Amino acid sequence: MKLIMAIIKPFKLDDVREALTPLGVQGLTVSEVKGFGRQKGQTEIYRGAEYHVNFLPKVKIEVVVPSDLADQVIEAIAKAAQTGKIGDGKIFVLDIERAVRIRTGEVDGEAL
Amino acid sequence: MKLIMAIIKPFKLDDVREALTPLGVQGLTVSEVKGFGRQKGQTEIYRGAEYHVNFLPKVKIEVVVPSDLADQVIEAIAKAAQTGKIGDGKIFVLDIERAVRIRTGEVDGEAL
Amino acid sequence: MKLIMAIIKPFKLDDVREALTPLGVQGLTVSEVKGFGRQKGQTEIYRGAEYHVNFLPKVKIEVVVPSDLADQVIEAIAKAAQTGKIGDGKIFVLDIERAVRIRTGEVDGEAL
Amino acid sequence: MTRPQLKWGLASLAPMLLAAAPAFAADPKIPAADTGDTAWMLTSTALVLMMTIPGLALFYGGMVRKKNVLATLMQSFAITCIVTIVWTVAGYSLAFTTGNAYIGDMSRFMLNGLAQHIVKGVDSGFILGPGSDGAAAQTIPESVYMMFQMTFAIITPALICGSFADRMKFSALCIFITMWSLVVYSPIAHWVWAPTGWVGNLGVLDFAGGTVVHINAGIAGLVTCLVLGKRVGYGTDNMAPYNVAYAVIGASLLWVGWFGFNAGSAVGSNGRAGMAMAVTQIATAAAALGWMFAEWISKGKPSVLGAASGAVAGLVAITPASGFVLPGGSIVIGVAAGVICFWSATSLKHMLGYDDSLDAFGVHCVGGIIGALLTGVFSYGPLSATDSSPAGSPGSLHQVMIQGIGVLTTLIYSGVMTYVLLMITKALVGLRVTEDEEREGLDLALHGEQIF
Amino acid sequence: MTRPQLKWGLASLAPMLLAAAPAFAADPKIPAADTGDTAWMLTSTALVLMMTIPGLALFYGGMVRKKNVLATLMQSFAITCIVTIVWTVAGYSLAFTTGNAYIGDMSRFMLNGLAQHIVKGVDSGFILGPGSDGAAAQTIPESVYMMFQMTFAIITPALICGSFADRMKFSALCIFITMWSLVVYSPIAHWVWAPTGWVGNLGVLDFAGGTVVHINAGIAGLVTCLVLGKRVGYGTDNMAPYNVAYAVIGASLLWVGWFGFNAGSAVGSNGRAGMAMAVTQIATAAAALGWMFAEWISKGKPSVLGAASGAVAGLVAITPASGFVLPGGSIVIGVAAGVICFWSATSLKHMLGYDDSLDAFGVHCVGGIIGALLTGVFSYGPLSATDSSPAGSPGSLHQVMIQGIGVLTTLIYSGVMTYVLLMITKALVGLRVTEDEEREGLDLALHGEQIF
Amino acid sequence: MTRPQLKWGLASLAPMLLAAAPAFAADPKIPAADTGDTAWMLTSTALVLMMTIPGLALFYGGMVRKKNVLATLMQSFAITCIVTIVWTVAGYSLAFTTGNAYIGDMSRFMLNGLAQHIVKGVDSGFILGPGSDGAAAQTIPESVYMMFQMTFAIITPALICGSFADRMKFSALCIFITMWSLVVYSPIAHWVWAPTGWVGNLGVLDFAGGTVVHINAGIAGLVTCLVLGKRVGYGTDNMAPYNVAYAVIGASLLWVGWFGFNAGSAVGSNGRAGMAMAVTQIATAAAALGWMFAEWISKGKPSVLGAASGAVAGLVAITPASGFVLPGGSIVIGVAAGVICFWSATSLKHMLGYDDSLDAFGVHCVGGIIGALLTGVFSYGPLSATDSSPAGSPGSLHQVMIQGIGVLTTLIYSGVMTYVLLMITKALVGLRVTEDEEREGLDLALHGEQIF
Ligand SMILES: Nc1ncnc2c1ncn2[C@@H]1O[C@H](COP(=O)(O)OP(=O)(O)O)[C@@H](O)[C@H]1O
Ligand SMILES: Nc1ncnc2c1ncn2[C@@H]1O[C@H](COP(=O)(O)OP(=O)(O)O)[C@@H](O)[C@H]1O
Ligand SMILES: Nc1ncnc2c1ncn2[C@@H]1O[C@H](COP(=O)(O)OP(=O)(O)O)[C@@H](O)[C@H]1O
């Protein structure tokens, strides 16, 4: 199994989720994160003190899928999350050794 | 060493933490996440616009343990987090190559 | 490529980010997390009910770098994040199989 | 609400139910409305409404967990709406018309006759309790008096919510509060404040509602939380408040609004209102400091929520006393309320083991009792003196005992009737949400909304 | 704002523009200022300002997404500042001086002459519309009247913002509102409330601003959101409000402040103010319950935002009626407003497909129309009676039709002029932010700040 | 607070300390209390209390980082409580009794004698400064006057907190503020507003507290932040405010409440109050726009916090002038305050390198000085005229110089005494939290609570 971790622009979340459903992905986990990268943030002004906002709001999607589905999932995310503008984000792939569904105790493929 | 990543129901957090202490787990890291899965969310109503809340609040626990402790830890989490109802969450296991304790520079087993 | 995941004290974030720039790290992703560890939290009092705050605010940095850069990055983080006091946090290293830049479709080394 | 005459004896029992009270020959002449008095009472009405929304709504809303914030705000908001209608239809009439010693009549059903003195847009003052021995001329239009009293009728049931936060069904709340307002609030208000009311005529002093509002709501809260049972996870889950800042804003608005509550109860813009405002301020500050230092000493840190809670305890305790005492007495009342309510909300509750979520009992009932009794100690004669009672009602052991009767009466009547009404509500729609709904939070479960 | 005389006929068209109106021999004598009336009007002014900041600011700010909260607060705040200056320079003069039937004159340009009666720090009352047939003596200093009216001039354009939230340029807003205040608000206020105004002299009843404020702002909002187009992501993105608690606080402060709006429109501390406060409270509660139950029945859950929105709808609808109707009528007005505005904000909007973000049209225009027409039904003679019109203006079919004329006039004039002013603004600086700015959020894009 | 007579010369130095002032034969007759005046002063008192809690608490609380929000709210809340007691015990007596030119006497110790005129619940007006040349009859009960003044005594030290936010010990704050209120505030209030006070008798005009409140608090703030030193991480850490929305709500409530502050300082419901309210509104709007456009031009974006800060600067600057100037002058005062305070809070501070966290000095001291001096320019004779001074105090170079004396006196006395009191506090309990506590945040470190 693979853990696909994608950092995307927040407003693309729903698009990505919808793109995964047809592939049979039944679950995923999302966190709000802040990203630092080539895309430069805004300057904020507070009583004359200017803070450059280096960190931009991003969304991190973590989804575990059987290894053979990984390519398709990556492609689907990449397509759905793309705007072509700087800051679109990254997809990283990690190896997962085991998965357990807490409710039933099922493991690995069954657990996803 | 293994990184055990568990997605659980928020109100189970304290139970899980308490279940891990007897095993000698001395530290863990928690994030608030939103989960999408078989468990279906509520419908929210705002001025007649109904939004189906696809994402439910979950808690993600990340805990790194020596490889030989992994099984026990997984079992303990699975037991403590279980309600038997849909949406109980998942446990994923990843391999960790290295660990460093920032304060002392200790590494690997010592660092946990 | 390696995913370096560091849990640090929140006020050290800017120091860490600045320590990484000279190494050529161009991007990273940050989340607010809560940490449980040797460092003990405060007691909170609400109308006489005392809650021991087991979880302390920490910041999690995730940065993916080419494998050959990993050592330097770990060292830089460890140095910048250190206060020498309990609760400074940990650095974990995971292996990354693939990376994709969503905007361009570039992969692996190019994508970082 | 200052009783114009403090008499010792029983009120006439002439059966007036459902009969409009004719203006007897013996009634005082209807005075012209005074623009200054009216201005202050209009203002006071706005201030007291502000106490409930957004004041109390925020005070309570800030103390619950994130998943219940909106539902808690909704309780205050919905009660404001429900009681407004109940009061318009029958509540005001039952409370403030002449009737008999126990209940008013229906002569102001649907506020019938409220506009009877309006001529070319101009209204006169009015007679409270016309036809009764205590009939009292008021220098403000009756519409203003009705509105001012409405805001009291609103906040009282809203206070109860503190005890059952996080677990009551919204439908149950709507039904329970409607009945409670008519069956518990209106009668007690009549007993204490109507010129014919038997408790007031016993000589019980309750300037702005220590018994009618706070003891009443507090004991109802205790009964409700006992009937409902504890919150799921009580004692194990972290139930730390989501946003103490909301609670502080709420307490601040309660404080500011309470000037309308207490100084407005002078029903005029006069020296009594001024003195009521002064002692309200002083007692509140003393109570907040009392709670703060008690907590600082016993727990090591002065919490922000503690200071705010202490202020509310002080406001509660000075309420019955506010038109009768001088600054010195108000400091004693304040410190007593702060320290004792700190103890009741933090120790007594744990000793007895009930789950009064936001301390409706521990602050309002306990604070109300402290205030009611100490009013009997510190009452200053000239402030309550009238033509027929030139000495007023100065503090005395005798007065303390009379105050005790007022307290007991309220505790018993309100406690028993609250229990009965809860049972009726339970039979109709049930009282408590399911465990799953409680875990999920009332915001989503009951109202389909959440805070982000 | 009670018109002292309700006359049937056309006002004098004597060309007075730019001429200070001399106090004619026929004018009523300038009365002394009454301290009670003045006290209530000072208080009312504070209450109405509180409606806009922080009331409306929070009501609107709580309903947008996190990224637009500050920008939405800023709209109300900046409009408060801009209109204050506009009103000082020319707005008040155009609206409330004698002038002719369509517009005032410039005799109060820069508030020139406002202090003319001050002697040793003491001011007298003043004559509204001196030299005209309807010249009316007021028992408060003109400075107080000017201030009270200013707060109305402020809130009206601030209401429009609800329709274009999340997408209008801040520079465009500044320019548009400045022009709108002078070209739309001041004339309509003059028509309806100045003694010489032609709409008022037709006999249209608008006690506190159903047409001048709410229909006016509501239709302007509809035009604006149609011109601007829908928000990016409308219908697909989740646009759930960031913090309904803010919206509830805002609605509560609107409610409390509205006592100043409606009861203050009696321009005195009297029975009419008292009755206006009472019916305001009752209609608001009825409307909130109306919306709540309508939603409960049709959607299965009573939302908190729904109850708050219903309350606002009730406040809007009772506004024109508040000085004229009795409690019974106010319940009907309230229920009608609650149920119909629920339908317009949740169904009509989707049927017609415009994106009125926070329902400025669905609540203020629709609610205002309901109120304006029902005022013609429920108006109670003695409340509007005067010496010259001893029967007052009781409800009648005839009166409903006159009310309809007032409504239509406002819809047409405000709608057309709003469109023209938007086009001018567009030509000058453009109306809408770029799509990227909209996605990023107005807080950062326009103001360089954000909420954490 | 309008001085009834503006005299040139030194006050009687008759040693009256600790002696109750007998009502001299020469004193004016004690007037009856006027219900309208009393109504407005009761309302003003509520409004000014609302300025501090929740107004200022939110304004400051919204500008700090998340970890310090509750501690910042607590500062305003606790100061409200502490000063209430201090004022009751001795502060009012020291400030407003006859005494001598430099300090009052102890005749109102513990508010002794405040109820002396109460008969059958009714109070009369009272004489301010009985036995002195300037003895002035007031048409409100003394209890109301005492309360109104108390709210000023509360907000002044609360303003100082802006300068030392995020780093002062709570125990130090309690001790420092108690002393400061007695040693700095009460004497300066006496100098300027008591009929015997030497600064007022020099002819310095300070209607509502430009010197007594704002310059005084502002300079105390500067001294405090210099003594405490900069926050840990100043200049490197991101110190962006946690919630600008709170700051906007706070600024809005300050604005609304300031009507009580300025118009209430007329001590009556009259034309002067009306004019004071009008110029307050106009100057505030002008200042907010001034700051907004200055920032828009120089930084490229108009920030929301900037507009709110500008409004506060305008409120500060118009305060001393509010009972003396006309609308035209108020616009100039407002624009000057907005632009100059923008410069002092954003440039001057960085140039000089002190860390005045929330600009207590940059806004209150600088704004107060602008207002005090411009009062001397724009004062309009008829507003300050009296029988004995029929020309009033019209603006003149001479008057500006007198104003300058008032400013300097306050700067020096408050600055020096603040330093002394800080040193005493430091010796007693220390002033600053540890670096670890500061990093962790005052909410948890000092009060054991946090916001989620
Ligand atoms: N090396 C990295 N490790 C982890 N996260 C990264 C890394 N580089 C970029 N990111 C994340 O991806 C986001 C987008 O990257 P950025 O360089 O701004 O633009 P782009 O995606 O177009 O290359 C960043 O905000 C950050 O969250
Ligand atoms: N494939 C997956 N990858 C990552 N997270 C998942 C995945 N499937 C489920 N989850 C997480 O687990 C949570 C629970 O899953 P769900 O399907 O609702 O019920 P159950 O745990 O009973 O199978 C989800 O809310 C989501 O956070
Ligand atoms: N085994 C672990 N797995 C995951 N996170 C850990 C683990 N141990 C510690 N942490 C994280 O590191 C933080 C610091 O650990 P702590 O034991 O308090 O001090 P120190 O870093 O000095 O050893 C914790 O708050 C927690 O977030």
Side-chain angles (χ1 to χ4, degrees), chain F residues 265-293:
Chain F
S265 289
V267 197
S269 173
N270 50 39
R272 180 172 249 199
M275 196 53 90
M277 188 180 271
V279 296
T280 298
Q281 175 76 13
I282 296 167
T284 304
L289 295 176
W291 186 307
M292 188 177 99
F293 283 111

Side-chain angles (χ1 to χ4, degrees), chain A residues 7 35-39 58 85-90 92, chain C residues 27-29 62-64 101 103 112:
Chain A
I7 323 274
F36 173 79
R38 283 169 190 79
Q39 184 192 7
K58 300 278 169 191
K85 298 210 192 103
I86 200 162
D88 272 354
K90 319 273 176 189
F92 303 122
Chain C
L28 48 80
T29 300
E62 287 170 307
V63 51
V64 176
R101 184 195 304 276
R103 170 164 49 105
L112 301 183

Side-chain angles (χ1 to χ4, degrees), chain B residues 27-29 62-64 101 103 112, chain C residues 7 35-39 58 85-90 92:
Chain B
L28 49 81
T29 300
E62 286 169 308
V63 52
V64 176
R101 184 195 305 275
R103 169 163 51 102
L112 301 183
Chain C
I7 323 275
F36 174 81
R38 283 170 190 79
Q39 183 191 8
K58 302 277 169 192
K85 297 210 193 102
I86 199 163
D88 273 355
K90 321 273 174 188
F92 302 123

